[in-house]
Amino acid sequence: DTAVSQTPKYLVTQMGNDKSIKCEQNLGHDTMYWYKQDSKKFLKIMFSYNNKELIINETVPNRFSPKSPDKAHLNLHINSLELGDSAVYFCASSQPQGAGYTFGSGTRLTVV
Amino acid sequence: GEDVEQSLFLSVREGDSSVINCTYTDSSSTYLYWYKQEPGAGLQLLTYIFSNMDMKQDQRLTVLLNKKDKHLSLRIADTQTGDSAIYFCAETIKAAGNKLTFGGGTRVLVKP
């Protein structure tokens, strides 16, 4: 009964490939997010969706495309992967006004 | 603008209390959070406080918020070796779409 689950946990792929990360939450939250954690552990938001509608798109390259089929799911598709995309990607969800922000366990993406 | 800062490192002896400090610049914060991240693991929500509160206690954890000084602290009583981790403070701002803005993290090392 994991609250926010994302798959896969690890992803190793070659440059130029296209990959997707999936996220699902069973908390009944309306808002979902993607965050990126770099090698120095710095965390920064990428996208936010509220009830399937894009709210935040934080200067992320066009190669990154989020998709929210319903408010419980937010997937992240990445085209033409680059070495610099290597990072840990975290999905999260929250209640209105940002209460109860809960994160998934992260997807460690390594581009070789 | 949004800026959250934390000290980089804290060393504490097992059984002592730990205090991790955080400062933020945006006075319109809605919620302020503390997360714990163990090596190779995800972000564990420890506690959060609504911006109109001064203090919140949850077992060994005490959060103090000084809105005037824009200062947030997390006190861990009776620190254990299992408390060794990186601790992140973060704030949400409603006007910014409730994105979480993180500090750089404080690495806590508990010595036996």
Side-chain angles (χ1 to χ4, degrees), chain B residues 4-109:
Chain B
V4 180
E5 293 191 357
Q6 307 175 232
S7 52
L8 285 176
F9 187 73
L10 176 68
S11 179
V12 62
R13 292 219 172 270
E14 191 175 12
D16 289 350
S17 292
S18 311
V19 179
I20 308 167
N21 295 302
C22 173
T23 58
Y24 58 97
T25 55
D26 199 313
S27 57
S28 61
S29 299
T30 312
Y31 290 93
L32 294 127
Y33 284 80
W34 284 104
Y35 289 91
K36 176 183 179 183
Q37 187 175 34
E38 298 182 58
L43 291 161
Q44 177 191 350
L45 173 61
L46 289 177
T47 186
Y48 65 99
I49 189 168
F50 189 50
S51 56
N52 70 351
M53 296 170 63
D54 298 324
M55 180 179 126
K56 182 177 180 181
Q57 188 152 5
D58 184 2
Q59 299 182 339
R60 292 191 297 124
L61 304 179
T62 303
V63 177
L64 293 177
L65 175 60
N66 181 329
K67 288 193 73 174
K68 176 175 168 289
D69 295 338
K70 299 191 188 70
H71 182 266
L72 180 75
S73 67
L74 175 69
R75 179 177 179 271
I76 306 173
D78 187 25
T79 312
Q80 304 296 308
T81 54
D83 294 326
S84 291
I86 301 176
Y87 290 79
F88 291 94
C89 73
E91 62 172 351
T92 61
I93 301 166
K94 188 178 179 183
N98 293 321
K99 70 177 182 181
L100 263 179
T101 300
F102 283 88
T106 299
R107 193 176 294 269
V108 174
L109 176 64

Side-chain angles (χ1 to χ4, degrees), chain A residues 25 28-32 50-52 68-74:
Chain A
Q25 55 96 4
H29 291 166
D30 282 342
T31 312
M32 295 186 72
N50 186 62
N51 203 4
K52 302 192 295 178
S68 181
D70 55 60
K71 73 174 193 176
H73 295 83
L74 180 61

Side-chain angles (χ1 to χ4, degrees), chain A residues 51-110:
Chain A
N51 203 4
K52 302 192 295 178
E53 182 184 345
L54 180 66
I55 301 297
I56 296 173
N57 182 342
E58 197 86 349
T59 60
V60 178
N62 291 339
R63 299 182 295 104
F64 289 78
S65 53
K67 283 190 173 53
S68 181
D70 55 60
K71 73 174 193 176
H73 295 83
L74 180 61
N75 304 322
L76 183 64
H77 188 76
I78 315 169
N79 289 326
S80 303
L81 277 154
E82 300 177 357
L83 292 176
D85 297 331
S86 295
V88 181
Y89 293 84
F90 286 100
C91 177
S93 70
S94 77
Q95 297 169 11
Q97 298 192 348
Y101 238 103
T102 305
F103 282 80
S105 56
T107 296
R108 183 174 295 274
L109 172 65
T110 304

